[in-house]
Amino acid sequence: MPCMITPFLGRMESSCLDLALEGERLCKAGDYRAGVSFFESAIQVGTEDLQILSAIYSQLGNAYFHLQEYNKALEYHRHDLTLTRTIGDELGEAKASGNLGNTLKLLGRYDEAVVCCQRHLEITRAMYDKVGQARALYNFGNVYHAKGKSICWSGAEPGDFPEEARIALRKAAQYYEANLCLVKEMGDRAAQGRTYGNLGNTYYLLGDFQTAVGAHEKRLLIAKEFGDKSAERRAHCNLGNAHIFLNQFEVAAGHYKRTLQLARLLKDRAVEAQACYSLGNTYTLLQDYERAIDYHLKHLVIAQDLNDRVGEGRAYWSLGNAHTALGNHEQAMYFAEKHLEIAKETGDKSSEVTARMNLSDLRLVVGLKASSNLHSNIYRNTNMNSSALPALYQNYPDLPGEDGFFDLLSRFQGNRMDDQRCSLLDGQSHLPDHSSPSSTPPVAERKSISESEPLLQDPGHFLELLASSQARRLDDQRVSLSHFPGLRLSTSNPLPTPGDEVFFDMLVKCQGSRLNDQRCSAPVSTTKGPTMPDEDFFSLIMRSQSNRMEEQRVLLPPTATQSKPD
C-alpha cells in the first residue's frame, strides 16, 4: 500500500495544477465566471504545494474582483496574504497586500486599505522593486482618492468639500505625484497616462482647475500616442468639466463635442447621452437655450431607448427649465408633468416634490389657477407632442408681470436645488453605494428592540463588546492557519508559524475604529442612471439663471404687480 500513495498524490497535484492553469487561461480570455469554476475545482482537489495554493488564492480573488463579487475576492486575498506571510514569501505578501487593499477600497473600508497599501510599499522598498513601489504608490493614491470622493456627498462644488475630504484628496495627489516620478524614471508612458488622469481628477475635486487642465491635457496626449480612444474620450470629458469651472464655456463645449464624437465612434450610447446632457447644460450656461433644448432632446431619446427612467426624468426637468428661460411656459408645464410622472413611477420623493413645486409655480405664471384636474384632463385627452401644446393655452389669461415671474422662478428653482442636493431626511437606508454588501449588522443590532434595549442604554458598553468581538474574530483568523481551503497537510510538510504580529495588530485597530463609522448613517447616494454624467453643474446653472433674471427685471407700475423689484 505505501508504494501506491506517492503516484496517487502525484496525480492529484497534477490535476490541481491543470485545473488552476485552465482557470488562468479562461480569466485571461475574459471568461471570469468559467475561470472561477476551475479554480474552485482545483481547491476541491487540493494540494500540498503552498506556492501553488497561494497562486490559486490570488487568481481566484482577482477573478471574483473582476466579477464585482468583492466579498468573495476579499476572502481569497485574505487567505493568500495569511499564507504568504506564513511561508515567508515576501514578494507574494506584497502582491497579496496590494490586492487586499484594492478590494477593501471598493468596499469602502479605507483605513484597512491604507494599512495594506503601507505594507505593500514597505516590502517593495525593502526589495528595491521599483515597479512594485510604483504600483503601491498608485494604489495608495487610489485609496485616498476614493476616500475623499466618498466624503464629497453633500452636493457641494469641487473645491468646497469638507476638510476631511480635502485632506484625503491632498494625500491622494501626493502619492500620485510620487508614482509619477517613478514611472517617468522607468519610461512607462502608459502608466504616466493613467496617473495624469487620476491627478487631474484629484486636482479638480480640490478646486485647482487650472492644474487639473494641465494634467488632463497630458493624459490626452498620451492617449493619442497609444491610439486609446476610450482614454481620449475620458480626457476630453474631464477637460470639459474643468473648463466649466474656469468659466470657459465655449472651450468646454468643444471638449464635450469631441467626447460626443468619440462616444459615437466607440458605439457607446450611454456615454453619447451623457455628452449630449453635458452639452445641453453648457449651452444653458451660455444662455443659448435653443441649442440646449436640442441636446437635451437628444439625451432624452437615448435615455428612452436605453430605458433609463432616471435619465429620462432629468431630461424632462432640463427641458422644462430651458423652455421656461425662453418664456415657453406651456411647453415647460408639459415637461414638468412628464418629470412628475417619472418621479412617481421611480419612487423618487425628492424629485416628485420638485416637480410638483415647478408645476405649481408655472401654473401661477400662466394664470392657471383652476384645479389640477382640469389640467390633467387636457393632457389625458390630448395625444400630441410638445410642439403642439401652445395652441391648448391660447384662451388662458395673459402672463403676470415679468418681475413676478422671475421672483417665482428664482424661489422654486432655489428650493428645488436644496431638495435635490441633499436627501438626508429620507426614511431610506443611508448606506453609500460602495459599502460592503457583507457588512451585516452585528448580532446585537439584529435582535429585537426589547432584547437590545439594555445595550442601547449604555452605547459605550455596547461598542466595547462589539470591538472585542471583532478583535476576537481576527485572533481566531490568525491562529487558525491550518484551515486553508484546498490545503492537504502531511506530517512531512507541516505548516510553519507566521511571522510578527504587527501587521495584523494594525488591521485589528483599523477594524475597531471602523465601528465608529458604522454607527453613523451616511447619506443616500443620488440615484444616477446610465445616461447621466457624474457632473451636471446644477449650482452653476442656477447662478447663471439667477443673474439672467436680475438683468431682465424691469420696474413695473405698482398696479401691474404686487411684487416690488429688489
Side-chain angles (χ1 to χ4, degrees), residues 374-387:
L374 173 60
H375 184 72
S376 299
N377 288 335
I378 291 173
Y379 285 108
R380 190 178 300 114
N381 297 326
T382 306
N383 184 16
M384 57 180 63
N385 59 32
S386 61
S387 63

Side-chain angles (χ1 to χ4, degrees), residues 172-429:
Q174 290 169 4
Y175 282 111
Y176 285 142
E177 295 282 9
N179 164 269
L180 195 56
C181 288
L182 274 179
V183 293
K184 281 182 176 179
E185 182 181 330
M186 295 185 292
D188 189 342
R189 290 289 283 169
Q192 291 174 46
R194 288 190 294 270
T195 304
Y196 275 127
N198 283 346
L199 257 179
N201 290 334
T202 304
Y203 283 122
Y204 172 85
L205 292 174
L206 284 167
D208 189 348
F209 303 115
Q210 200 62 60
T211 304
V213 165
H216 285 309
E217 285 177 342
K218 290 175 182 176
R219 204 298 170 249
L220 178 60
L221 180 64
I222 295 174
K224 288 180 177 179
E225 285 179 18
F226 284 88
D228 187 343
K229 297 299 182 185
S230 293
E232 187 180 342
R233 191 271 305 164
R234 290 193 299 272
H236 276 295
C237 181
N238 289 329
L239 282 165
N241 293 343
H243 280 292
I244 286 287
F245 281 98
L246 290 172
N247 294 321
Q248 297 170 354
F249 302 139
E250 291 285 3
V251 177
H255 284 294
Y256 289 138
K257 286 177 181 176
R258 184 59 182 146
T259 302
L260 180 58
Q261 292 170 353
L262 288 166
R264 287 171 174 166
L265 179 67
L266 295 166
K267 301 186 186 306
D268 191 331
R269 292 276 282 164
V271 174
E272 180 183 347
Q274 292 176 19
C276 289
Y277 184 81
S278 296
L279 279 164
N281 284 338
T282 304
Y283 282 113
T284 294
L285 291 169
L286 286 166
Q287 300 182 25
D288 187 345
Y289 300 109
E290 296 288 355
R291 282 194 184 183
I293 288 171
D294 179 53
Y295 281 110
H296 282 308
L297 283 171
K298 289 175 180 175
H299 169 226
L300 174 62
V301 169
I302 300 176
Q304 290 172 334
D305 288 346
L306 299 181
N307 197 30
D308 176 12
R309 296 293 278 169
V310 173
E312 188 178 346
R314 188 58 59 83
Y316 285 131
W317 179 88
S318 301
L319 286 163
N321 280 352
H323 278 290
T324 298
L326 288 173
N328 301 332
H329 309 300
E330 296 85 359
Q331 291 190 3
M333 288 185 67
Y334 168 77
F335 290 118
E337 286 276 7
K338 298 297 291 183
H339 182 206
L340 176 60
E341 176 186 320
I342 292 178
K344 288 179 178 178
E345 176 190 321
T346 58
D348 186 344
K349 297 300 182 183
S350 177
S351 292
E352 183 177 343
V353 169
T354 299
R356 289 187 184 280
M357 188 180 299
N358 290 356
L359 278 170
S360 175
D361 288 328
L362 281 168
R363 286 183 181 125
L364 288 176
V365 170
V366 299
L368 291 179
K369 296 180 181 178
S371 68
S372 59
N373 289 334
L374 173 60
H375 184 72
S376 299
N377 288 335
I378 291 173
Y379 285 108
R380 190 178 300 114
N381 297 326
T382 306
N383 184 16
M384 57 180 63
N385 59 32
S386 61
S387 63
L389 286 173
L392 293 174
Y393 297 92
Q394 288 177 354
N395 296 323
Y396 281 111
D398 293 334
L399 300 182
E402 288 291 321
D403 191 65
F405 160 66
F406 286 126
D407 278 332
L408 289 170
L409 192 59
S410 294
R411 175 173 62 80
F412 83 72
Q413 287 190 335
N415 291 338
R416 173 183 51 73
M417 283 305 303
D418 290 337
D419 292 336
Q420 292 193 346
R421 291 160 102 187
C422 189
S423 54
L424 295 179
L425 299 180
D426 287 350
Q428 302 171 359
S429 169

